[in-house]
Amino acid sequence: MIVKAIVVRFYVLQYQQICLYLSVIWKYEKYKGIHPGAVLERELKKRGLSQRYFALSLSEHPQTINAITKGNRDLNIPLALKIEKMLGLEEGTMALLQTFYDIEKQKKKECTPSRPDLSILRKILFWDTDINKIDWDKNSAYVINRVFERGNEQEKKEIFRFYSEDKIREVTGKSDPYSRIPVMQHLKAR
């Protein structure tokens, strides 16, 4: 009889935990994929609390809370627990939001290719650097200019595929970046 009571109590506790988890999920479903700092900032505004006062009440640096609310810093578990306790939120809420945000960030990272197809781009285009070590996001202007100055049609198409047309327009300064570069007048044959 005692064993049966223990088993029933175990299942009741598991049921309660699952219900608590689902209530947190449903309550914060609309925030799924949003940085928990945005939710924290909203909560602080709703309660009329300043970030500085709130940070000091947690024994944290105000810069830390500011960086979190701006989305420049992720929320770690110990700080998430402190914030939840101070705001009276259910335990695990902020950590769960951080997890959802991390999942969304990883999905976006996996969907977008990190570099163009290097089998199409000739290595000679980037003679002054190792093509495998180029940061394609950070050095986008360099890459676009180099390919549109010295690349063939196939290489230009690959850059068009990898970068957005707006980005290419911005870098090249042309309304039609695919148009040919005009021949300089002083070099024309007479």
Side-chain angles (χ1 to χ4, degrees):
M1 196 66 167
I2 294 175
V3 173
K4 188 175 183 181
I6 292 173
V7 170
V8 168
R9 181 72 179 143
F10 174 75
Y11 283 119
V12 167
L13 286 174
Q14 277 191 328
Y15 175 75
Q16 288 174 340
Q17 287 177 338
I18 290 171
C19 288
L20 178 64
Y21 174 76
L22 290 175
S23 70
V24 169
I25 296 280
W26 289 327
K27 186 175 183 179
Y28 292 100
E29 182 68 30
K30 61 185 169 190
Y31 299 116
K32 214 171 178 182
I34 297 174
H35 193 279
V39 177
L40 174 61
E41 185 175 30
R42 185 169 184 252
E43 282 292 320
L44 292 177
K45 280 183 182 176
K46 269 177 36 179
R47 296 166 191 243
L49 298 172
S50 73
Q51 288 181 14
R52 179 175 176 69
Y53 171 77
F54 185 70
L56 294 175
S57 69
L58 294 173
S59 301
E60 291 289 333
H61 294 285
Q63 296 90 336
T64 303
I65 298 299
N66 190 340
I68 291 169
T69 58
K70 299 292 182 213
N72 297 332
R73 183 174 177 168
D74 288 341
L75 189 59
N76 59 37
I77 300 293
L79 184 55
L81 290 172
K82 281 186 190 178
I83 290 171
E84 292 160 358
K85 185 176 181 181
M86 187 64 73
L87 294 177
L89 300 173
E90 292 180 43
E91 191 175 86
T93 302
M94 298 303 281
L96 194 59
L97 291 174
Q98 180 66 51
T99 302
F100 285 139
Y101 175 74
D102 291 341
I103 290 168
E104 191 68 29
K105 194 166 64 170
Q106 184 62 33
K107 282 181 183 177
K108 286 179 183 176
K109 190 177 180 181
E110 289 174 1
C111 289
T112 57
S114 61
R115 62 185 187 184
D117 186 356
L118 297 183
S119 67
I120 295 173
L121 298 177
R122 294 173 292 153
K123 289 183 181 178
I124 194 73
L125 278 175
F126 304 99
W127 70 87
D128 52 348
T129 187
D130 183 1
I131 197 168
N132 295 312
K133 293 184 180 177
I134 294 175
D135 183 341
W136 298 94
D137 292 326
K138 185 177 172 186
N139 300 313
S140 60
Y142 160 75
V143 170
I144 292 168
N145 282 326
R146 183 64 62 93
V147 171
F148 275 86
E149 286 174 2
R150 298 183 173 94
N152 60 32
E153 293 303 312
Q154 192 178 18
E155 291 163 334
K156 289 178 185 177
K157 284 180 184 176
E158 177 56 21
I159 293 302
F160 251 102
R161 185 197 64 77
F162 183 69
Y163 295 110
S164 69
E165 191 172 332
D166 292 335
K167 178 72 174 173
I168 293 172
R169 278 192 187 127
E170 176 188 322
V171 170
T172 60
K174 296 180 180 180
S175 60
D176 181 16
Y178 233 131
S179 66
R180 300 232 180 255
I181 298 173
V183 176
M184 294 180 218
Q185 296 296 326
H186 68 283
L187 296 177
K188 277 188 175 178
R190 297 178 187 204

